[in-house]
Amino acid sequence: MIARKLLVLAGLAATSLLAACTDASDMGHDMGNVTQERLLAADDDPDNWLSHGRTWNEDRFSPLDQINAENVDRLGLAYTVEFDTNRGQEATPIVVDGVMYVSTAWDKVLALNAATGEVLWRYDAEVDGAHGAYACCDVVNRGVAVWEGKVFIGTLDGRLIALDAATGEELWDVVTVDQSQPYTITGAPRVVRDKVIIGNSGAELGVRGYVSAYDTDSGDLVWRFYTVPGNPADGPDGAASDAVFAQFAGDTWHGQWWELGGGGTVWDSIVYDAELDQLLVGVGNGSPWNYRVRSNGQGDNLFLTSILALDPDTGAYKWHYQENPGETWDYTATQQMTLTHMQVHGEDVPVVMQAPKNGFFYIVDRRDGSLVSAEPYARQNWAERIDMETGRPVELPAARFAHAPYLVTPSGLGAHAFHPMSYSPQTGLVYIPAMQTPSAYEDNAGYTRHIGRWNTGVNFLTPPAGLVPGDTPEARRAYVTANTKGYLLAWDPVAQQARWSIERDWPWNGGTLATGGNLVFQGLPDGTFNAYNAEDGTPLWSFQTERGIVAGGISYAVDGVQYVAIMAGYGGSMGMASQSDWMRRPPPNGMLFVFRLDGDASYTPLPPQEPAPYASTDETFDAATLATGQANWFAFCTICHNGPVNPNLLRSPVATDANAWKAVVIDGILADRGMISFAPWMSAGDAEAIRAYVLSEAARRAAEEERE
Ligand code: CA
């Protein structure tokens, strides 16, 4: 009751302030008024989007229904806000009493009048561009947290920063990682009571994962929980995780896992379970991926790919559920966790739902981490089933690619990645941006370790003959491409089966938003932002933003008007590493698009643009040079330069100039843009060999396109 009254007062205050003021300093003391009480009552506060998943249940369902399946064709543009970078936009904005707080790529924050798009303040964390080289999956940021007049953001260089919600002024700035190691932060912080919780990324490059809690006022570290053990020779960490590693989790590791950190980064999902006063933490893959390299192929390797429950005040271990014991494919349990209740054998059970990378939809009892059910929501070929007695997968042994390559589905891209899903309590369906992503894995146990670059212990092959249909490498590549797809999947979590789905020929699609208007919104990498009937998937509305969309949308209301907002800007791992025909132009700057019924703001379409020509040369190169170049290309270059997000080297004039190439690759003249010197990992001769391979590959693709 008290919480309700506070809400009404806060709403009134915000409304009158917005009407009276255009100046952020005048909006003043009430900005960023998110509290424990307000979040506990967020279900009854549909106008606001107070935390990452809207409420602490993180269902990304807006109860608002002014925009609905009957009138969504009247949806029009309310306003746009253009950003200053064309890198990926993955953030979920936060809306508090008419003010939107949003983060962009490169860790910039904007506070906006949520009804007009007027910028109230801007903040730039001034991340050194060279740190972008440590970002496995683009220089993205998935959002801020707002709490008691403060805005919190984690940064690519591992800092956690508190800003004044009214002015954007920095209140404190703490370093949460060892910055000499390849850690990054891309995930959104979460706040519980007086602590802000933050994880990190970097398991591809060689780090040890953990999650930390900082005091919201002082920025002091309160507790830290490591998700994997350190080098036993170093002794205990003095961390909240020491006890559980001494009790049983430490014994699940073998070999010299600490040399590459072990992985287990907490890079996305962290959920506060208010009912049981516990923090649920989604833990990532192993570092390196290959289990035989990491742990001699022995042990479960706790707490990789686990949902981990911790005490929010102390970080003490409560329980865990591990999805992939002995993880070896880059499967993660970092995907979104959504809390709800479910009838299980006649009992009302508090559960957490997750659609992680490995393709199974898990429902786990939040009281003790026991498995309620798990069924595949996407094509997968690594497990026969999940055993309900033990909660462990019954694996297909060949899937571990120990003695022969295996076309594993899903690949490390996952059957679902960071792209938010949503759950509508109205339809009872979960809307998953699902993927089918086969990839041929080959054991590479003897690989050369490159700390700070990708370390997987896996060769990603063009499938050899016999593994997939096709007489030629081209035919087998085409088979893999034809089997790479995306789905907007409406999943019934009780029946554990699909209700409806829409197939796409590209997997890397945007997150979803479900609303009380019987709608599901999803953006696509072709730039469209779309609305569907939540019951049956009928397409109802579409708007072309001309920017690939990977983020999830939000909905909120100001002064009785409902808005739907989406961050548009293509990127993320697949944005850097792969592309389709319609992505050949460099992406334009990212943009926030906000819609309302009968919105009539103008949008000027981009001028047409042809892709740059392929680099061409009269130079010739010998076969040995090309082979060295190809190997280094795949080891160092493709992960960032095979998609539309970063410069396409095959179309870059730099490739035709040996001196310019060396200046970039070896001398690092573009380090401030994230293209650091690769001298620590390769010789000038190796770099030149890559140039040779790039030119030969550019010629091959140009000839191929000419034929088509
Ligand atoms: Ca990973």
Side-chain angles (χ1 to χ4, degrees), residues 136-137 203-204 265 267 284-286 289 330-332 357 412 454:
C136 74
C137 308
E204 273 58 57
T265 48
W267 58 262
N285 58 279
W289 295 4
D330 186 24
Y331 289 165
T332 65
K357 275 190 181 181
W454 274 57

Side-chain angles (χ1 to χ4, degrees), residues 1 45 166 267 306 314 332 343-344 377 401 419 468 472 599 634 657 681 689:
M1 220 36 210
D45 182 13
W267 58 262
S306 298
T314 64
T332 65
Q343 292 294 315
V344 182
Y377 65 90
F401 57 95
H419 316 82
V468 302
T472 63
F634 282 110
D657 182 334
W681 302 286

Side-chain angles (χ1 to χ4, degrees), residues 4 64 69 78 212 292 324 456 530 535 554 581 633 648:
R4 282 279 207 158
L64 296 171
S212 313
R292 291 177 290 279
N324 283 95
T456 60
N530 307 283
E535 288 286 351
I554 66 163
D581 279 351
W633 166 262
N648 184 331

